[in-house]
């Protein structure tokens, strides 16, 4: 449990730095998006993200999120651009137990932005 808490604190600390560096101004923050496995592949997640993008575009705001693994490709497909990659590690970490070894800062500029 102590190692889990330590890792969670390290992730939050890196996320705070990421947000300060890549989303300091007004933006919509995408905290977490998930679709029940029984409806995956039905484009429900894409529809949800399109609605979020439409709200951001209407207000002229970028969308910002932090993702890991292949989720980066999903967000890139939705128009998000990778800004930077951050490594999250803690003392005593073993590679096979570090689920957030890399976090990607992703930003989707508002449509019509110059």
């Amino acid at each position: 449990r102590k190692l889990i808490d330590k890792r969670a604190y390290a992730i939050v600390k890196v996320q705070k730095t990421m947000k300060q560096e890549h989303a300091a101004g007004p933006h919509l923050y995408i905290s977490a998006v998930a679709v029940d496995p029984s409806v995956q592949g039905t484009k429900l997640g894409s529809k949800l993200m399109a609605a979020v993008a439409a709200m951001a575009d209407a207000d002229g705001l970028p969308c910002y999120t932090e993702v890991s693994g292949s989720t980066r490709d999903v967000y890139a497909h939705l128009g998000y651009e990778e800004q930077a990659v951050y490594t999250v590690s803690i003392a005593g970490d073993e590679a096979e137990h570090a689920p957030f070894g890399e976090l990607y800062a992703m930003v989707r500029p508002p449509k019509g932005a110059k």
Side-chain angles (χ1 to χ4, degrees):
R1 172 77 182 156
K2 201 174 217 180
L3 191 59
I4 291 170
D5 289 345
K6 199 172 179 183
R7 183 174 288 117
Y9 176 75
I11 291 167
V12 169
K13 187 175 175 183
V14 169
Q15 285 176 315
K16 183 177 179 182
T17 298
M18 294 170 76
K19 192 169 183 182
Q20 288 172 342
E21 292 178 1
H22 303 288
H27 64 281
L28 289 187
Y29 177 63
I30 311 303
S31 176
V33 176
V35 176
D36 188 274
S38 67
V39 293
Q40 286 177 350
T42 63
K43 304 270 187 207
L44 190 58
S46 294
K47 290 176 185 175
L48 175 63
M49 294 306 297
V52 169
M55 288 187 294
D57 292 346
D59 290 336
L61 296 173
C63 295
Y64 170 78
T65 191
E66 304 100 5
V67 299
S68 63
S70 62
T71 308
R72 173 182 59 167
D73 298 334
V74 172
Y75 278 88
H77 180 74
L78 296 171
Y80 286 72
E81 301 167 358
E82 181 181 318
Q83 303 299 303
V85 182
Y86 294 75
T87 301
V88 180
S89 61
I90 59 172
D93 241 350
E94 298 173 10
E96 65 273 12
H97 297 117
F100 294 101
E102 292 182 337
L103 285 175
Y104 302 91
M106 306 286 291
V107 174
R108 179 196 173 274
K111 295 285 186 203
K114 294 180 169 96

